[in-house]
Amino acid sequence: MTATPLVFLWDSDSDGKRHGGDLMLAGLEQARTKGHIELVVLKCWCDFTATHSEGSKEFVRGRQAVFFIHASEECGCGGPLVSGEDAATKLVDKQANIGLRLRGLDARVSVLLYSGGTRPALPQVDRGDWVSEDGVAARSLQRVPGLDLWIAALFEGMEGGADLARRFAEIPIPFSQLSALIHDLDNRIAPLRVDLDLLGEIGDELEEKTFTEIMTAALGSHESGDSCTRGSGNDGYLFGIRRGRSLADLISMTVQGDDEHLGLAKLIEQFPEAKRAELAPPGELCGGEADQCGSLELLVQRFKLRMESLRDIASGRPPDRTAVLERLEAVGTWLAAFSNYLRRIRNAMPSEPAT
Amino acid sequence: MTEVNTVLIVDDNPDYLRSLRTALQRSWAVQTAASVAQAQQIVLENAGRLRVALVDVCLDPRDDSDRSGFDLVRWIRDASPELPVVVMSALPDDSFPEVSDAAGAIAFLAKPVSVDRLRDLVARTVGSGETRA
């Protein structure tokens, strides 16, 4: 078997527009330049199937063939539509024509099926798994900083497909943490956005029943209203525990980090390209000008103060309706600004798309 | 029995289901489901009454990688081709609008969504009888 792996890339996003495919192509080009691989870039799947003609199939004979396939690709030239997932499935299917022919040529096949967002839906694999040695790996691959370097390093001194599988599994996905935190945060504040709109559009005309329902859902219901009942019973979506932590805990963990997550400060520090002036916390998170923030940790204190103020006002008997709405608006504004801030950081990372 | 001009909302977040129900029920009948199975049952039992389905992408509250909302959209396309589907998500994933379109949805909404935008989209969809079929 020839030592140099033959690598095929099918990813139409490798078009110079900072998509994930560009990083994949850049990494593979580096590996090719260093002589670690022979690279074939496929514009369409039919580019590959054409190599199975009698004249060109010797190209593959006896070689290690590694396929990098973007799951969202589609090829319709000259026949039924073939998706990236279809192609990956056929490559590793020993009953399919392509799979059968590759094995007839003594080619050892490895396939990486990847997607920037959705989980590739091959039935035999799950996210992050790699079925190596004539198998297929499916992975949701975020556009991580330095992905091109990781891809290039996959082939450094590589001697076999199993080694490639192990190396691939070691590619970090640091942004998936930030994305997951944004997901959690935006899911929690989605009802608040709707509720604030509802409260705002009817104002004083708001039915007492609807007002009470919204307040109970957001702030919880505490019959006595004293501090002893806090943290128990119905705390509402703003104060309750969801997925093991309160909203304040989520904000705090996002900024300060924990055993599993990098805090914002460390995340920014890790990627120097993100250390730009515009990534300073916006003034609306700090209660004033941006330079008054001092540190990211102050954001957490600022948020907790707003929440305490909201809770104190809401526990009045009877609560001052206007004051409660004002505090609720303030919390909603802060949370929306914080969510936007997280997205700005995510998008400012060197390999993230500018949206 | 579900009324004509019913909106189906599918989301695993009970607080969000309540908020959306409150926002939409002044103009339309609303059915809610917290899982794929519940949504499928409602679709099958209410053929002809549902006018639009709003479907969250991640329907497993314990798993951020869950994308079963897209599976549900594809299922609806097969089971009830006339029913327009709008996909929603709080996941910051730039590929979702494209994936939603490929799955057969008529629109994608990033959470949080304003009430005005939501009502406008539902009104236009119900009013126009928009469908991907």
Side-chain angles (χ1 to χ4, degrees), chain B residues 23-127:
Chain B
L24 298 178
Q25 67 188 5
R26 287 169 185 265
S27 305
W28 301 280
V30 176
Q31 288 266 301
T32 59
S35 68
V36 170
Q38 279 182 11
Q40 289 174 328
Q41 186 176 354
I42 291 171
V43 170
L44 291 174
E45 291 176 355
N46 296 279
R49 298 189 185 92
L50 296 176
R51 290 293 176 264
V52 61
L54 310 175
V55 177
D56 186 32
V57 171
C58 180
L59 293 171
D60 184 343
R62 300 155 301 177
D63 180 8
D64 282 330
S65 69
D66 175 70
R67 301 289 181 270
S68 55
F70 286 129
D71 297 332
L72 177 61
V73 176
R74 295 185 191 99
W75 181 86
I76 290 174
R77 291 283 298 135
D78 289 338
S80 184
E82 300 291 329
L83 176 60
V85 183
V86 174
V87 173
M88 311 177 289
S89 182
L91 279 161
D93 192 311
D94 305 316
S95 71
F96 276 6
E98 186 182 340
V99 176
S100 301
D101 185 62
I106 61 165
F108 173 81
L109 294 175
K111 291 182 184 174
V113 184
S114 75
V115 168
D116 282 348
R117 187 169 180 214
L118 188 67
R119 283 184 182 144
D120 182 59
L121 180 61
V122 172
R124 280 191 287 114
T125 306
V126 172

Side-chain angles (χ1 to χ4, degrees), chain A residues 67-271:
Chain A
F67 293 83
F68 286 76
I69 297 177
H70 184 214
S72 301
E73 297 302 315
E74 286 187 337
C75 173
C77 54
L81 200 64
V82 178
S83 68
E85 295 187 1
D86 292 338
T89 303
K90 288 177 180 176
L91 283 168
V92 296
D93 182 355
K94 295 182 174 64
Q95 306 302 315
N97 283 343
I98 290 178
L100 193 62
R101 284 177 191 167
L102 284 169
R103 279 149 194 84
L105 294 167
D106 294 326
R108 195 172 69 196
V109 180
S110 293
V111 183
L112 165 63
L113 179 71
Y114 61 93
S115 166
T118 55
R119 178 174 54 195
L122 287 181
Q124 72 271 39
V125 295
D126 201 351
R127 181 180 184 178
D129 291 343
W130 178 291
V131 184
S132 60
E133 290 297 319
D134 286 11
V136 59
R139 180 164 179 176
S140 178
L141 193 62
Q142 301 285 327
R143 285 157 280 204
V144 299
L147 176 61
D148 50 344
L149 301 178
W150 281 97
I151 295 297
L154 284 175
F155 300 95
E156 296 272 358
M158 195 190 79
E159 294 179 354
D163 191 31
L164 181 63
R166 180 184 59 75
R167 292 176 182 204
F168 182 77
E170 290 172 354
I171 296 178
I173 313 180
F175 287 157
S176 66
Q177 293 179 0
L178 189 52
S179 294
L181 291 171
I182 294 170
H183 178 218
D184 198 354
L185 177 67
D186 282 356
N187 248 338
R188 287 174 190 245
I189 66 178
L192 178 61
R193 172 66 186 270
V194 173
D195 287 345
L196 285 171
D197 285 352
L198 289 171
L199 292 168
E201 70 182 11
I202 21 193
D204 294 337
E205 303 296 319
L206 185 65
E207 298 169 18
E208 192 61 35
K209 179 170 173 284
T210 304
F211 177 83
T212 303
E213 280 179 3
I214 291 175
M215 287 302 159
T216 302
L219 307 173
S221 61
H222 303 287
E223 291 302 321
S224 63
D226 64 24
S227 59
C228 294
T229 60
R230 294 177 184 176
S232 61
N234 172 22
D235 284 321
Y237 58 76
L238 286 178
F239 292 99
I241 304 295
R242 304 281 188 272
R243 305 176 76 176
R245 56 191 172 222
S246 68
L247 184 55
D249 291 339
L250 175 65
I251 303 288
S252 177
M253 186 270 285
T254 301
V255 172
Q256 296 167 349
D258 63 10
D259 291 342
E260 297 179 10
H261 301 83
L262 288 175
L264 282 186
K266 287 188 178 174
L267 189 64
I268 293 173
E269 186 180 303
Q270 185 171 323
F271 302 106

